[in-house]
Amino acid sequence: MKKTTIAMLALSLAIPMAFAQGGSEKGSGSSEKPVELIFTSVSVTGDSHTTAMTAFADKVKELSGGSVICKTYADGTLFSSENEFDAIVNGEADLAYLSFPTLSTQKGLEWCAMINSGYFWSSYEHMTSVLNGDIGKKDIFPRIEEKVNVVPLGAFYLGARVVNTRNRAINKYSDMKGLLLRMPNSAAWLHLGEALGANPTPLSFSELYTSLQTGAIDGQDNPLPTDVSAKFYEVAKYVAITNHVVDSILPCINKDKWNSLSDKQKDAVRGAIEYAKKINDDARIAEEAKDVQILEQNGVTVTHPDLADFKKNVTAYYTAHPEQTGEWDMDLYKKIQAAAK
């Protein structure tokens, strides 16, 4: 009996010591309180942004030791492009990709419209070095977080936007006149459509393929990888390489959710976003290099208008509409333009 009592006492002391040293029946893992993140996107299956979502989910689980689990919902299955913003702000979703034109619709963020204005960025390198560098981290993202209940985590490359049309080849700026061009539903996007010389009309991304197919619109603008992954080339056989916007999207997290995370979990999220950004951007750049060939193989006529002519006319449009540029932050504008390489 005495030996049994001593053995039980030794066991009772050994178990808590083992756990204090990090032991558990499941092996070494995170002691953080588990957190679940919901990541929603309208990007389609096969698109690099959808691939990046999955990469983020896998990496954040790894880096957090399993204390952060991310569930991803692509193809607009959870929220449409019109509802994504409200969903992340209200906490119905935790993560989403947000655009600067969407952010520009919010009070105090009207200046964001300038970032997606025509020919604002000179190149991919210009865009990513600014947004993912000191200017983005110190002069842009904190101002967004201050006004909206989200925290921008970085900037992913969306691609250089081109014009895709049903039955009209675009060889010069004047060819855009009268074109019923689909644009996302915000003032900044619609103004861009006007700057391009077209008649812009707001339309959900989810309705875009059918609207091109039926002729409800004449064309749309998106980066080449999006045109290919969404198969717009099946119903719109002309693409003009205008590169009018070197586009980006911001993976953002709901601020309340962000504040609920521990420092270690935040570090895991940041690390996973950086990992996903490289996967997305590398894939996006590689896709752009081959997409013209893919389009031509599918019977698309690809034209290369004079970009200097487009830039001149687009810039003239903004100059002639000071009511649209009056809320731009011109000090920040000049700072960003000076950073062009």
Side-chain angles (χ1 to χ4, degrees), residues 77-92:
T77 54
L78 201 58
F79 296 100
S80 68
S81 57
E82 292 81 8
N83 297 325
E84 270 188 329
F85 180 80
D86 288 340
I88 186 175
V89 169
N90 297 332
E92 297 174 82

Side-chain angles (χ1 to χ4, degrees), residues 4-73:
T4 300
T5 301
I6 292 174
M8 291 179 64
L9 177 60
L11 181 62
S12 68
L13 291 172
I15 291 175
M17 287 180 64
F19 276 91
Q21 295 171 0
S24 73
E25 291 182 3
K26 296 182 180 180
S28 60
S30 173
S31 60
E32 302 274 2
K33 181 180 178 181
V35 173
E36 180 180 276
L37 302 177
I38 302 298
F39 197 156
T40 179
S41 175
V42 296
S43 57
V44 298
T45 300
D47 185 89
S48 62
H49 294 98
T50 303
T51 302
M53 291 170 65
T54 303
F56 168 82
D58 292 340
K59 182 58 73 170
V60 77
K61 181 179 180 181
E62 173 193 331
L63 295 178
S64 69
S67 78
V68 179
I69 303 298
C70 181
K71 293 184 177 179
T72 61
Y73 298 86

Side-chain angles (χ1 to χ4, degrees), residues 132-154:
N132 292 306
D134 286 344
I135 295 177
K137 294 173 183 177
K138 296 177 181 179
D139 299 331
I140 297 176
F141 295 168
R143 294 173 65 181
I144 294 171
E145 182 180 346
E146 181 184 350
K147 297 296 182 180
V148 186
N149 193 38
V150 301
V151 177
L153 298 170

Side-chain angles (χ1 to χ4, degrees), residues 27 34 70 80 86 97 102 106 165-166 173 221 228 238 276 307 319:
C70 181
S80 68
D86 288 340
Y97 295 121
T102 295
Q106 304 304 300
T165 51
R166 292 181 67 249
Y173 180 83
D221 87 311
V228 171
Y238 297 89
L307 298 190
T319 301

